[in-house]
Amino acid sequence: AQKVTQAQTEISVVEKEDVTLDCVYETRDTTYYLFWYKQPPSGELVFLIRRNSFDEQNEISGRYSWNFQKSTSSFNFTITASQVVDSAVYFCALSDLSGAGSYQLTFGKGTKLSVIP
Amino acid sequence: EPEVTQTPSHQVTQMGQEVILRCVPISNHLYFYWYRQILGQKVEFLVSFYNNEISEKSEIFDDQFSVERPDGSNFTLKIRSTKLEDSAMYFCASSLPVGLAETQYFGPGTRLLVL
């Protein structure tokens, strides 16, 4: 069965600090996808990134970067020079091919990030 | 940019009443999903839908739940007889077919409160 663990329940940082959100996953499949979603206080789920299991190249998008390591089953997310607008709950999610061919997402419990001005 | 829309944004109902939550997926997407998030908890999968039938459902999705695609654009979740524990945020999502860009894009959610 799939499982996603986000051990950090809440993190507080001062604006401009860097912060890393941890994600550890479990799956028996060799083909799977990993995601990060952001949930701001308004409640919607905003897609940030998708990674497939065959692509371990790290990715950078502006102040955001992701470190995917299959050896440790981790997909960590770093925000550089954090801003107040980064305050949100961040969810890591996993999808693999379920029996009927749909990629249902298994979410972690989320990490609430508070950026203090 | 195309997006998933959901109506209503908020719904308050009495226990035992039926509710229908509506979603309009992104137009060229073929897979549709419902998830729910009880306040302060993680997002949980309910059901996936493809080619006019359920492709997968979780143990949460019991006989009181049903989904339908009544026309070419809407995708609905019906809860037949609501319970207090159905109070949650319900998210609709859609994606392109498996093998292409499987990213699920979520709607803004419907916040359901059962009294």
Side-chain angles (χ1 to χ4, degrees):
Chain A
Q2 313 95 317
K3 185 177 178 182
V4 176
T5 302
Q6 294 180 257
Q8 304 150 308
T9 307
E10 292 192 41
I11 299 176
S12 289
V13 298
V14 176
E15 201 171 21
K16 297 184 183 175
E17 285 185 350
D18 299 347
V19 58
T20 295
L21 310 182
D22 298 333
C23 173
V24 174
Y25 62 92
E26 293 176 31
T27 177
R28 288 175 295 189
D29 287 358
T30 55
T31 301
Y32 53 89
Y33 296 84
L34 295 163
F35 301 81
W36 277 94
Y37 287 86
K38 175 182 179 180
Q39 187 174 44
S42 49
E44 71 271 26
L45 285 167
V46 179
F47 165 73
L48 295 178
I49 191 171
R50 165 178 169 264
R51 253 303 170 254
N52 74 54
S53 51
F54 299 108
D55 181 3
E56 286 193 71
Q57 193 169 9
N58 292 328
E59 181 156 339
I60 298 174
S61 175
R63 295 184 298 107
Y64 295 170
S65 62
W66 291 269
N67 183 352
F68 176 29
Q69 293 198 345
K70 283 179 80 169
S71 60
T72 55
S73 297
S74 65
F75 186 45
N76 296 336
F77 173 29
T78 297
I79 302 174
T80 303
S82 57
Q83 300 176 0
V84 173
V85 294
D86 296 328
S87 297
V89 180
Y90 291 85
F91 290 98
C92 181
L94 165 73
S95 76
D96 51 25
L97 187 61
S98 58
S102 72
Y103 282 80
Q104 60 169 281
L105 288 170
T106 299
F107 283 82
K109 292 186 177 180
T111 297
K112 182 177 180 180
L113 175 65
S114 299
V115 181
I116 304 163
Chain B
E1 186 174 322
E3 58 184 19
V4 178
T5 59
Q6 290 185 243
T7 55
S9 58
H10 293 78
Q11 175 97 41
V12 181
T13 190
Q14 295 290 323
M15 188 171 58
Q17 296 295 303
E18 174 183 287
V19 295
I20 297 176
L21 310 183
R22 292 183 167 78
C23 168
V24 178
I26 294 172
S27 61
N28 63 336
H29 285 187
L30 298 179
Y31 272 92
F32 313 118
Y33 305 82
W34 284 102
Y35 292 81
R36 79 170 186 191
Q37 183 184 29
I38 295 172
L39 186 64
Q41 297 187 23
K42 68 177 179 180
V43 180
E44 300 174 291
F45 168 76
L46 291 178
V47 65
S48 58
F49 191 87
Y50 173 70
N51 201 24
N52 283 320
E53 60 184 22
I54 291 173
S55 53
E56 189 101 20
K57 60 183 180 180
S58 72
E59 56 193 27
I60 302 170
F61 194 88
D62 60 24
D63 290 344
Q64 69 161 341
F65 290 95
S66 62
V67 289
E68 194 178 31
R69 188 155 162 82
D71 53 42
S73 60
N74 290 286
F75 178 51
T76 62
L77 174 69
K78 182 191 291 185
I79 309 175
R80 259 181 276 281
S81 178
T82 50
K83 305 172 200 169
L84 296 177
E85 54 264 37
D86 293 328
S87 295
M89 178 78 99
Y90 288 81
F91 290 103
C92 174
S94 69
S95 68
L96 287 167
V98 172
L100 299 175
E102 292 86 2
T103 298
Q104 293 178 31
Y105 292 91
F106 285 79
T110 293
R111 192 173 296 279
L112 176 66
L113 178 61
V114 182
L115 301 176

